[in-house]
Amino acid sequence: MILPGSSSQALAATLATECDEPLAVAEYRRFPDGELLVSAPALAGEGEGREADVRPVDIDGGRAVVVASTVTSDAHVELLQLQDAAREAGADEVVTVVPYMGYARQDKAFRPGQPASARAVARAISAEADRVVLVNPHEPSVADFFDVPCEAVDAASRLAEPLPDDLDEPLFLSPDAGAISIAETVRDAYGDGDTDYFEKARDYDTGEIEISPSGAPVEGRDVVLVDDIIATGSTMSESIGVLRDRGAANVYVTCVHPLLASNARTKLERAGIRALYGTDTIERDVSAVSVAPAIAAHL
Ligand code: R5P
């Protein structure tokens, strides 16, 4: 049985179809003091009217698959509650799928006194999970923070699907060295083109990004910028600016996790792009492809 967090309802439904598992209709409530209460009281499509809404899920020795991107701190609490609700309903095995794992970029104490936030949330999730499935975590080593078996699914190849078939001398470019393997995966799935990466420096205090271009020729070429995540959009908008200055023809922007916080969309549109899209690890209007098939292969 699939139990969705509120931030991953569409992906959970696609996954339920992909795996031919029932989909629970979770209920998301907030108390007046701001606390959350997430429960999974009814099976989708079962019963009628109000009665169906109060029928408890009976997993009875079976498997529960909790699917929840921890895109906010609330979503993280929801995930923990869903795991506990699954146990309450008799689940023998709880598999927790975290399509986008929040806090994963704070994977060490960058300054004295800071936490390794990724380790803290991984340990909390581990308490009620039998195993965990992540999708393209920022650093693969994040999987080691879990106290239970954890697999990282690579869904990057799906990012080739929405691209036009007739890109002109395509260059698949990552804005820093860390994402070059994702750019290579997308190029391989597309079946044509070169790969390269920029060098990136971020000022820790101001968040300002400085991009140093590579030597790859871009003039007149179609460039596909590929990253694992777009958060504030600063990395991508600076990269687009460099490509525009150097005469790139069309710039396509794609990522696994389209977080798109605050004014990221505006920054990208103003920088001048042909298209922007990502996957449904974070459900946005740019989520053009689903990672459900890649996750299903690991369930
Ligand atoms: C960093 O190493 C990541 O791969 C992304 O480049 C980064 O998280 C994007 O952040 P932003 O959109 O805020 O520049």
Side-chain angles (χ1 to χ4, degrees):
M1 181 175 302
I2 308 276
L3 304 181
S6 64
S7 59
S8 298
Q9 296 179 55
L11 172 55
T14 310
L15 191 60
T17 304
E18 195 77 35
C19 302
D20 197 23
E21 287 210 27
L23 176 67
V25 179
E27 234 175 54
Y28 314 105
R29 293 172 56 196
R30 187 179 290 278
F31 291 107
D33 62 2
E35 289 185 353
L36 299 166
L37 179 65
V38 180
S39 48
L43 284 178
E46 280 204 359
E48 287 180 12
R50 296 182 63 82
E51 289 306 306
D53 294 337
V54 295
R55 184 184 307 161
V57 161
D58 182 5
I59 300 176
D60 193 22
R63 175 176 84 162
V65 180
V66 172
V67 182
S69 283
T70 51
V71 72
T72 61
S73 301
D74 279 356
H76 180 74
V77 173
E78 275 188 9
L79 181 155
L80 300 179
Q81 291 183 328
L82 279 169
Q83 291 185 146
D84 206 77
R87 296 287 185 205
E88 282 288 321
D92 212 26
E93 183 189 16
V94 175
V95 180
T96 299
V97 178
V98 194
Y100 168 72
M101 179 180 164
Y103 292 98
R105 286 177 292 170
Q106 179 81 24
D107 60 342
K108 61 183 177 188
F110 291 98
R111 291 197 170 172
Q114 290 184 349
S117 304
R119 183 177 57 212
V121 299
R123 285 178 175 165
I125 292 169
S126 300
E128 283 295 351
D130 292 294
R131 67 185 177 98
V132 173
V133 177
L134 308 176
V135 179
N136 291 93
H138 182 61
E139 292 290 342
S141 57
V142 162
D144 299 335
F145 287 143
F146 290 86
D147 299 324
V148 294
C150 175
E151 291 171 85
V153 173
D154 184 359
S157 63
R158 307 227 68 201
L159 294 174
E161 288 170 26
L163 288 169
D165 294 335
D166 57 352
L167 291 179
D168 192 7
E169 292 186 81
L171 175 65
F172 293 82
L173 192 71
S174 60
D176 59 34
I180 184 62
S181 66
I182 301 180
E184 288 169 348
T185 300
V186 180
R187 188 275 313 270
D188 292 349
Y190 186 74
D192 183 27
D194 302 322
T195 59
D196 206 345
Y197 60 92
F198 286 164
E199 297 288 348
K200 178 175 87 174
R202 188 193 292 266
D203 185 297
Y204 188 88
D205 293 314
T206 65
E208 277 180 25
I209 300 283
E210 193 179 333
I211 294 288
S212 308
S214 69
V218 299
E219 192 169 346
R221 301 179 72 174
D222 287 336
V223 179
V224 183
L225 272 170
V226 185
D227 209 347
D228 59 334
I229 173 173
I230 301 174
T232 65
S234 296
T235 300
M236 282 301 195
S237 55
E238 288 298 316
S239 302
I240 296 160
V242 168
L243 291 170
R244 287 260 160 259
D245 289 347
R246 293 160 69 91
N250 296 300
V251 180
Y252 296 82
V253 174
T254 187
C255 67
V256 178
H257 308 297
L259 187 59
L260 298 172
S262 184
N263 58 359
R265 286 295 291 274
T266 312
K267 284 184 193 168
L268 297 178
E269 296 297 339
R270 198 180 60 173
I273 53 174
R274 184 66 187 262
L276 163 68
Y277 62 92
T279 79
D280 56 358
T281 61
I282 301 174
E283 297 178 3
R284 301 280 192 249
D285 60 346
V286 299
S287 299
V289 287
S290 180
V291 297
I295 293 172
H298 288 255
L299 292 181

